[in-house]
Amino acid sequence: MMSSYLENTPDKNGYFGKFGGSFIPPVLEKPFEDIKNAYEKIKKDPQFIEDLKYVRKHYQGRPTPISFAKNLTQHCAGAKIYLKREDLNHTGAHKLNHCMAEVILAKHMGFKKVIAETGAGQHGVALATAAAYFGLECEIHMGEVDIKKEHPNVTRMKILGAKVIPATHGLKTLKEAVDSAFESYINQVDTAIYCIGSVVGPHPFPMMVRDFQSIMSLEAKEQFLEHEKKLPDNVIACIGGGSNAMGIFAHFIDEEDIELYGVEPMGKGENIGEHSATLSYGEEGIMHGFNSIMLKDAKGEPAPVHSIGSGIDYPSVGPEHAYLKEIGRTKVGLCTDEEAITAFYKLSQLEGIIPALESAHAVAFAMKLAKTLPKDKTILVNLSGRGDKDIDFVIENYPLEKL
Ligand SMILES: *Cc1c(COP(=O)(O)O)cnc(C)c1O
C-alpha cells in the first residue's frame, strides 16, 4: 500500500527534514514528552475521535462550506476562485479546529488550566471559548500593541472568563507574547498545559496542530469534487505560523499536480522591520523551541517584523513549511499591506464577505494568480477568518474614499 505523506512526516523526533525538533530547557522536557505520549495514544482512541466529531458538528459549525466567488472570479477574468469558509467557524476563524482538540487533550491529561499566546487575539478567543466549554481555567498572553489594536478580542476573552496578561517588552506583539507565555508556563507545568496557537513550537505541537487543522482539507477534497467534479488546480492560504495553510494543504500534499501556495506578508517593503516574509527572506535558526527558517537582525536575534495582519507578523514559521518549500512541494506568494487592503474591500463589496486582514493576503494573491490563468483553471483559497475584528482599524487607516 502507498504510504501517505501525513503518516510518515514528521519523524519520531519531530523532524521535517532538518527542520522542527525540540529545543527546550530541561524543566520542560518531561512535560513535552508527556504531551507527545498522551497525543500518540489519544489520537487513536475512538472516544476522543467521537468527542471531537461531536463538538465540531454540534457546537463549532463544521463542516464549513466552500463558496464559489462568482463576482470576484468575473472581476479577475481568469481562473475560478473558490473560498473555504473558515470565517464561519464559531469565534470566526480556523483556530477552534485545534483549540477544541487541545483542550480535550488537556482535560484527558488531568490539567486544570490552559496557557497560550495570541497575536490578533483570535487564538486567545478560541482557546478561552474551548476552556469555557470544557470547564478549564485560561491564561492568555498578548502584546500590548496588539491589545490596543485588537481591542474587541481582548474584551471577548475577558467576558469568556480568561485572564489576559500583557507582554510589555520589545515590540510588544506576537513574538513577545510567546516569550511571556513560555515564562509563565515554566512556573506551573504541574497544573497547566501550553496550547500553542499554530504549527510552531517544540515537537509534538507542529504535528499535533497540523493534524487537528487537517480537517479543513479533508472536508475540502470532498466538497470541491461536488462543485467541479475534480480537485482544485491551486490551493492558497496565508502564512503566519502556518496552521491554516498546513490544514488546507494537508490532504492535498500527496496530489502532486496541485500547486500549493503559502502567502507571506510583504508589509510595507523589503527592509528588516517592514515585513514578515520569513520563508522568502529568512535563514535557518532556532527560536521558541524549534529549528526553522527565521528572520534575523544584524546580531542574529529574531528581527522586528511588520504586517497589518496581527496574526501573521511572526519572525519564524512552522518547520513543516520550511521543509515543504525546501523540497519544492510548496511555493511562496507575497502580498503587501496595500494589496491586502484592496482585497479586503473587494471581497467585502463583490461577495458580501468581510475577510480577516490575514485572510485578505491569501485573497489578494489569489486575485493576482487568477488573472494569469485560463478560465478552466481553479483556485481554492482558505478564508481563514472573518474581518469584524479589523473593521475599525481599516476604516481609520485606509478610508474607503482612498480606493
Ligand atoms: C491566527 C490567524 C492566522 C495566522 O495563523 P496561521 O497559524 O498562520 O494560520 C491567519 N488568519 C486568521 C484569521 C487568524 O486568526
Side-chain angles (χ1 to χ4, degrees):
M1 207 177 80
M2 276 260 291
S3 52
S4 93
Y5 170 88
L6 290 178
E7 279 165 33
N8 293 311
T9 328
D11 71 13
K12 67 177 178 18
N13 295 317
Y15 278 93
F16 306 86
K18 65 181 172 184
F19 301 112
S22 182
F23 300 84
I24 47 180
V27 286
L28 290 183
E29 274 166 19
K30 170 125 189 348
F32 275 81
E33 185 69 20
D34 290 347
I35 295 171
K36 190 188 86 186
N37 292 336
Y39 174 61
E40 289 296 346
K41 234 162 99 184
I42 206 177
K43 75 174 179 191
K44 296 179 202 120
D45 179 353
Q47 187 62 48
F48 173 72
I49 295 166
E50 262 324 293
D51 288 353
L52 197 54
K53 269 193 185 155
Y54 181 91
V55 289
R56 281 177 171 168
K57 180 169 177 191
H58 299 291
Y59 178 78
Q60 193 182 328
R62 301 208 73 88
T64 58
I66 284 182
S67 307
F68 175 44
K70 169 167 76 42
N71 301 325
L72 190 69
T73 296
Q74 219 167 39
H75 172 81
C76 296
K80 290 164 100 172
I81 302 173
Y82 286 87
L83 310 167
K84 177 66 170 158
R85 300 290 308 282
E86 293 303 305
D87 58 311
L88 295 178
N89 274 291
H90 179 42
T91 76
H94 67 289
K95 299 267 181 356
L96 215 50
N97 293 335
H98 70 260
C99 285
M100 290 313 260
E102 281 181 335
V103 175
I104 298 177
L105 178 71
K107 217 174 148 109
H108 177 84
M109 292 179 74
F111 291 115
K112 305 258 176 299
K113 184 175 182 179
V114 288
I115 299 177
E117 81 293 341
T118 194
Q122 294 295 99
H123 177 59
V125 168
L127 193 63
T129 300
Y133 181 85
F134 289 106
L136 296 190
E137 272 179 71
C138 181
E139 176 184 309
I140 301 293
H141 296 252
M142 187 170 185
E144 239 177 8
V145 167
D146 291 333
I147 287 183
K148 288 208 184 79
K149 183 166 158 205
E150 307 287 353
H151 184 68
N153 272 343
V154 178
T155 308
R156 263 181 215 118
M157 284 184 267
K158 289 182 180 164
I159 290 173
L160 289 162
K163 188 170 164 195
V164 181
I165 298 178
T168 54
H169 67 291
L171 282 183
K172 305 177 185 144
T173 64
L174 184 55
K175 184 206 154 275
E176 291 75 22
V178 180
D179 297 338
S180 167
F182 256 103
E183 224 173 272
S184 173
Y185 172 54
I186 283 176
N187 296 318
Q188 37 187 335
V189 286
D190 294 334
T191 51
I193 183 171
Y194 197 118
C195 289
I196 290 173
S198 187
V199 285
V200 298
H203 183 55
F205 282 94
M207 168 183 75
M208 206 163 82
V209 173
R210 173 200 72 191
D211 292 352
F212 295 149
Q213 288 293 347
S214 69
I215 184 67
M216 298 186 287
S217 48
L218 193 68
E219 288 172 7
K221 242 178 154 171
E222 201 182 303
Q223 293 169 319
F224 206 86
L225 286 174
E226 195 182 321
H227 279 286
E228 284 282 335
K229 314 252 179 323
K230 56 173 189 166
L231 292 176
D233 298 306
N234 304 277
V235 177
I236 298 178
C238 67
I239 297 195
S243 67
N244 89 90
M246 266 332 299
I248 198 74
F249 291 171
H251 290 279
F252 293 119
I253 294 173
D254 285 331
E255 311 281 345
E256 285 172 13
D257 295 337
I258 302 180
E259 299 272 19
L260 307 173
Y261 290 94
V263 182
E264 296 198 306
M266 253 332 276
K268 297 181 288 206
E270 282 188 336
N271 297 323
I272 282 282
E274 292 181 334
H275 64 82
S276 342
T278 307
L279 288 167
S280 306
Y281 291 87
E283 50 190 302
E284 191 175 343
I286 295 171
M287 191 182 109
H288 293 152
F290 63 104
N291 185 41
S292 186
I293 300 290
M294 183 180 144
L295 284 171
K296 296 179 185 174
D297 65 13
K299 287 193 213 126
E301 296 295 312
V305 283
H306 162 82
S307 166
I308 42 161
S310 303
I312 47 178
D313 57 354
Y314 185 58
S316 185
V317 65
E320 194 163 12
H321 285 295
Y323 171 66
L324 288 170
K325 184 193 170 217
E326 190 182 67
I327 63 169
R329 180 62 193 93
T330 55
K331 291 188 178 147
V332 178
L334 292 168
C335 167
T336 64
D337 284 357
E338 294 284 338
E339 289 170 326
I341 290 291
T342 304
F344 175 92
Y345 279 124
K346 284 276 180 245
L347 195 72
S348 300
Q349 291 169 20
L350 290 173
E351 299 292 340
I353 299 169
I354 303 177
L357 280 176
E358 294 83 1
S359 324
H361 286 71
V363 175
F365 183 76
M367 290 167 63
K368 287 193 278 191
L369 184 67
K371 289 173 189 171
T372 69
L373 295 174
K375 292 188 174 170
D376 62 339
K377 292 289 178 193
T378 57
I379 297 174
L380 175 64
V381 182
N382 201 32
L383 201 73
S384 54
R386 66 175 185 235
D388 304 43
K389 67 184 176 58
D390 297 315
I391 54 176
D392 290 340
F393 173 82
V394 171
I395 216 81
E396 273 165 33
N397 294 282
Y398 301 88
L400 272 172
E401 51 274 20
K402 269 199 194 162
L403 275 186

